[in-house]
Amino acid sequence: MGLCINTVPVRVTAGAGVRVSGLLSGLQESQARLSEHQFAGLPEIQAAAGAGARFDTVVIYENYPVEPGATEDSAVRFRASEGRDATHYTLALTVIPGERLQVRWGYRPDVFDRESVEVIAARFVRVLEAIAADPGCVVGRIDVLSGEERARLEAWSG
């Protein structure tokens, strides 16, 4: 069975003074209102967005966790398989639920190298840690830079 996926691009805008909890609530409400358009094809979306619109990143939430033993009495049997993810997006973030949340990054090697993606991933972790520590924090106050990056930036601007 192949992927049952429909990727609909979404642009999220947040001012520096917006609280993360408000941003996420608003995003969820917006997505609920847009559900009637979930079957729009990417060519239709690109035509509506106009010339020059680029959709070069994707966040994928794999929403099909299967509990061990959950299908033992079912007429349908699942068998684990392994595959290799590939992406045509410049950058792809895949989130996989389970006992421990898994995050995988995919990228086009003609655009990013491994080190650059690792820097982005570390920044992503810092953002998640800040949100977990204070879901009501203000978006503009989340520091995505490491201590070393902050010091280098201050040296450049000093």
Side-chain angles (χ1 to χ4, degrees):
M1 180 172 173
L3 288 177
C4 298
I5 186 171
N6 188 12
T7 304
V8 178
V10 176
R11 180 173 290 142
V12 178
T13 305
V18 174
R19 297 199 176 278
V20 170
S21 54
L23 173 68
L24 296 177
S25 295
L27 181 59
Q28 185 174 8
E29 290 171 14
S30 174
Q31 289 303 296
R33 285 191 310 272
L34 293 173
S35 65
E36 69 186 72
H37 304 288
Q38 67 183 331
F39 298 105
L42 190 54
E44 291 173 81
I45 294 168
Q46 287 172 322
R54 294 190 58 201
F55 308 111
D56 57 357
T57 59
V58 66
V59 176
I60 303 164
Y61 179 76
E62 293 188 358
N63 193 17
Y64 51 85
V66 177
E67 297 289 326
T71 61
E72 288 176 5
D73 296 328
S74 173
V76 177
R77 301 278 184 221
F78 293 92
R79 184 178 67 195
S81 66
E82 291 191 27
R84 185 173 91 69
D85 288 340
T87 183
H88 65 276
Y89 289 95
T90 303
L91 188 64
L93 166 65
T94 303
V95 179
I96 306 157
E99 274 188 53
R100 289 183 55 105
L101 190 69
Q102 294 179 49
V103 175
R104 285 192 308 233
W105 293 88
Y107 59 94
R108 285 192 16 213
D110 61 321
V111 179
F112 288 103
D113 59 22
R114 182 179 180 90
E115 183 180 329
S116 297
V117 174
E118 287 174 353
V119 168
I120 293 168
R123 290 175 180 164
F124 179 73
V125 168
R126 282 191 287 280
V127 168
L128 292 180
E129 288 172 342
I131 294 170
D134 181 8
C137 64
V138 174
V139 171
R141 293 203 179 135
I142 296 175
D143 192 359
V144 300
L145 301 178
S146 69
E148 180 183 317
E149 290 171 322
R150 171 75 47 212
R152 199 173 12 191
L153 181 63
E154 289 172 359
W156 285 339
S157 64

